[in-house]
Amino acid sequence: MNALYAGVFKRDLSLAFRQKGELLQPLMFLLIVVCLFPIGVGPGPEILQRISPGVIWIAAILSGLLGMERLFKDDFNDGTLEQLILSGLPLSGIALSKVFTHWLVSFLPIICLSPVLAMFLHMSLPMYQALIITLLLGTPLLSLIGAIATALTVSLHRGSLLVSLLLLPVFIPLLIFATSAVESAAMQLSYGPQVAIISAMTCLALASAPFAISYALKVSQH
């Protein structure tokens, strides 16, 4: 069974890297959004530093949503998803493998690019340290919760808009705590409570989301 999960992971990863245009699309969107903000609000270091946590996190959430619709869509269209359901194998492990692939493809490049974004927006070192911690802990939550909404709408022809409408309100608490942590770091205050809350939300999602995704996929097939 572990070999099956590894095979699904390798297949999804290879498919993602074959579609290089879609692979670069979230990253390009993130860069465009972050680069447009200084033009709109002015290049002042103080202003950019003040808005930088919200800008990077909002851009990360929106760029992650771009590739969310295709998480299960290809498997649904070619019948692979139906075969996996009929096989009787636990879908929770397959769902977790697909979520991990989405995180690697969509959010890991953003985390790797974050030092450049932090310098561009004049973030201080404590602010960047808080930002990287919140991104590492919070972006898996985006993939896990996003996969539930994607699984529910996988049978719809144009479900991307519905996925965005479902997810954006759910992501607001994460956005609040993540930006609050970076702002606390800017004021040289402890941001441990915010990080603890984000960690708790991610752990809860990691424990429950695979089963919710599995159930949603089965419902979408009927």
Side-chain angles (χ1 to χ4, degrees):
M1 191 172 293
N2 291 333
L4 173 65
Y5 296 151
V8 172
F9 171 71
K10 290 179 181 178
R11 173 181 172 270
D12 292 339
L13 201 60
S14 64
L15 286 174
F17 279 99
R18 283 179 194 171
Q19 302 167 344
K20 294 182 180 179
E22 294 185 6
L23 189 65
L24 292 174
Q25 187 178 4
L27 201 59
M28 295 303 297
F29 178 82
L30 176 82
L31 288 172
I32 290 171
V33 170
V34 173
C35 291
L36 284 176
F37 265 91
I39 298 174
V41 302
E46 293 182 0
I47 297 175
L48 292 178
Q49 189 180 74
R50 195 180 310 127
I51 67 171
S52 59
V55 170
I56 294 177
W57 259 101
I58 290 171
I61 289 172
L62 294 178
S63 62
L65 287 175
L66 288 177
M68 195 71 72
E69 186 191 8
R70 298 182 61 87
L71 193 57
F72 303 106
K73 200 70 172 179
D74 292 337
D75 289 339
F76 177 81
N77 290 334
D78 63 15
T80 302
L81 186 59
E82 185 177 4
Q83 293 299 319
L84 288 171
I85 293 173
L86 293 175
S87 68
L89 294 170
L91 280 179
S92 56
I94 296 171
L96 192 59
S97 172
K98 287 183 171 294
V99 168
F100 182 57
T101 304
H102 176 267
W103 182 83
L104 282 178
V105 171
S106 297
F107 291 116
L108 186 60
I110 294 174
I111 295 173
C112 293
L113 194 64
S114 61
V116 178
L117 302 178
M119 289 189 293
F120 185 71
L121 295 173
H122 299 279
M123 296 182 75
S124 62
L125 181 59
M127 291 178 70
Y128 172 69
Q129 290 173 342
L131 174 70
I132 199 69
I133 290 172
T134 56
L135 285 174
L136 286 170
L137 293 174
T139 49
L141 178 63
L142 298 178
S143 293
L144 288 164
I145 301 299
I148 299 175
T150 306
L152 286 170
T153 60
V154 69
S155 59
L156 301 179
H157 291 293
R158 297 185 179 274
S160 57
L161 180 60
L162 182 58
V163 168
S164 300
L165 291 174
L166 288 172
L167 291 179
L168 285 177
V170 179
F171 290 159
I172 289 176
L174 174 61
L175 178 64
I176 292 172
F177 287 116
T179 54
S180 174
V182 182
E183 289 170 359
S184 297
M187 295 183 287
Q188 297 182 346
L189 300 174
S190 172
Y191 50 88
Q194 294 95 320
V195 171
I197 292 173
I198 295 172
S199 302
M201 291 192 295
T202 301
C203 290
L204 180 62
L206 188 62
S208 58
F211 303 101
I213 296 166
S214 174
Y215 180 75
L217 289 172
K218 292 177 181 178
V219 169
S220 297
Q221 285 290 327
H222 298 292

